[in-house]
Amino acid sequence: MFCVRSVGPPPELVRQRETKWINIILQWDRMLLKKTSKVCPILDTLSHYIEGHSESADLCQGQCKTTHTTLQRKKFKLTSLDSQPALQSWVDVIERDLDRQFPFHEMFLSKDGHGQRGLFRVLKAYTQYQPEEGYCQAQGPVAAVLLMNMPAEEAFWCLVQISEQYLPGYYSPLLEGVLFDAGMLTWVLKRTCPAAHKHLQHHGVEPLMFATDWLMCLFTRHLPFNTLLRVWDLFFCYGVRVLLQVAVVLVRRVLGRAELRKQCPGQMETLERLRGVREQVQEDDDAFIAEVITC
């Protein structure tokens, strides 16, 4: 069960981070051009501010904000899509998936609750907005996390930008985007974690066998919630390379040391450790994020 820790930074620091985020959002294009090396504060410090503000979608759009996107938003209002029929085959699949997304989170406990209703609206609307792509199951947990931080209209447009601008080809029928990045991960591991890469090769474990779910779901199923929000911060700022950096850190934590590799003597044991990687992160989000940044 994902939950936000009750213990955290002092209110003064939270407010300072929130103010900094507000300034970044209001000057988003200029901030991206600066390419500052400083890490942005965590997304959840802004959640209360973001609700009800159109800038939340602009945060996700990043440098991809265009006049075309603005016109598309006017044309495809979520409320107008609600009243239009969608392909029944997509509707059936989406409805089956609703109670699989964070089933222990209070927003998604009830099938008739606002969380599942909002999730259905967002996912159904995407199939109407992009009928040639339709619905990909990996979009479910991504949309669910967006809904935890913003209203359905903004969550929908953030999902659009993630799918079209940040991760093109990830959710298409052929999955060409994620296939390419999984191949790229093999090359990155060979350069940065040669011992772990050799272990994977020796046991016939390819990144596609464990990292596809990591990448397509944006680690929503594999990281503690506080850590996940900070990873998404970096992802929205710097794009897909952050996902590869996180993947490298996770592999390093599972297979980086000789004694860890000895605990994975075969393909099955190696995959089991990699798929249960959440245990390697726990709640040390500061150390984890520092490791990602320096990867």
Side-chain angles (χ1 to χ4, degrees):
M1 174 177 173
F2 293 116
C3 60
V4 178
R5 292 176 295 177
S6 58
V7 178
E12 297 80 9
L13 180 58
V14 172
R15 183 58 184 169
Q16 181 183 357
R17 289 175 173 177
E18 180 182 285
T19 302
K20 182 178 179 181
W21 248 125
I22 293 171
N23 290 332
I24 289 174
I25 290 173
L26 294 177
Q27 306 175 64
W28 187 249
D29 292 333
R30 189 169 65 83
M31 292 299 295
L32 278 177
L33 289 175
K34 288 173 64 178
K35 293 189 180 294
T36 177
S37 60
K38 295 183 179 180
V39 183
C40 297
I42 61 175
L43 180 62
D44 61 343
T45 61
L46 260 191
S47 59
H48 296 296
Y49 170 78
I50 285 178
E51 289 188 6
H53 291 68
S54 61
E55 286 87 356
S56 58
D58 294 340
L59 166 65
C60 184
Q61 290 170 10
Q63 55 190 332
C64 301
K65 280 198 306 182
T66 61
T67 304
H68 171 71
T69 301
T70 303
L71 292 174
Q72 288 294 89
R73 291 192 66 173
K74 290 179 180 178
K75 182 179 178 181
F76 290 96
K77 281 287 186 182
L78 187 61
T79 51
S80 67
L81 292 174
D82 284 339
S83 60
Q84 300 175 21
L87 193 64
Q88 190 59 43
S89 58
W90 290 128
V91 171
D92 292 341
V93 176
I94 291 170
E95 287 180 337
R96 286 198 299 268
D97 280 353
L98 289 179
D99 56 3
R100 298 174 184 173
Q101 314 305 335
F102 301 96
F104 302 109
H105 192 285
E106 61 181 358
M107 272 189 67
F108 304 102
L109 285 175
S110 171
K111 199 164 189 65
D112 297 320
H114 74 283
Q116 288 202 28
R117 289 200 308 269
L119 186 57
F120 176 79
R121 291 179 66 206
V122 170
L123 297 175
K124 169 181 168 286
Y126 189 83
T127 68
Q128 296 166 284
Y129 181 78
Q130 287 288 10
E132 69 280 4
E133 289 191 7
Y135 166 63
C136 176
Q137 288 182 310
Q139 291 173 312
V142 175
V145 173
L146 291 171
L147 284 167
M148 294 177 197
N149 290 281
M150 60 191 72
E153 178 84 29
E154 306 299 342
F156 168 68
W157 285 108
C158 280
L159 181 64
V160 168
Q161 291 302 305
I162 289 171
S163 302
E164 293 184 354
Q165 305 293 344
Y166 283 87
L167 302 176
Y170 263 53
Y171 306 113
S172 65
L174 297 178
L175 306 178
E176 60 268 23
V178 72
L179 291 175
F180 178 86
D181 285 342
M184 181 64 69
L185 179 58
T186 301
W187 180 80
V188 174
L189 288 171
K190 185 176 182 179
R191 290 193 59 190
T192 59
C193 307
H197 176 264
K198 184 177 179 180
H199 177 91
L200 294 172
Q201 293 291 300
H202 178 72
H203 294 294
V205 178
E206 297 293 333
L208 275 175
M209 300 167 72
F210 62 87
T212 303
D213 195 46
W214 292 0
L215 299 174
M216 293 183 71
C217 297
L218 297 181
F219 299 99
T220 53
R221 297 170 174 164
H222 304 91
L223 294 176
F225 199 63
N226 283 351
T227 307
L228 175 69
L229 292 177
R230 297 182 67 175
V231 165
W232 278 32
D233 258 2
L234 296 173
F235 169 68
F236 286 144
C237 283
Y238 302 113
V240 70
R241 67 171 183 167
V242 171
L243 303 186
L244 297 179
Q245 288 172 262
V246 172
V248 168
V249 171
L250 292 177
V251 171
R252 184 184 294 158
R253 290 200 171 194
V254 173
L255 300 170
R257 302 196 307 272
E259 60 269 25
L260 294 174
R261 294 190 293 275
K262 287 180 181 178
Q263 298 172 17
C264 303
Q267 184 185 77
M268 184 180 300
E269 294 85 357
T270 301
L271 285 172
E272 184 177 354
R273 284 297 184 90
L274 288 166
R275 290 167 179 167
V277 75
R278 179 183 167 86
E279 298 176 1
Q280 306 299 322
V281 182
Q282 300 300 325
E283 295 293 346
D284 60 337
D285 47 299
D286 287 335
F288 184 82
I289 293 300
E291 200 173 340
V292 169
I293 293 168
T294 57
C295 181

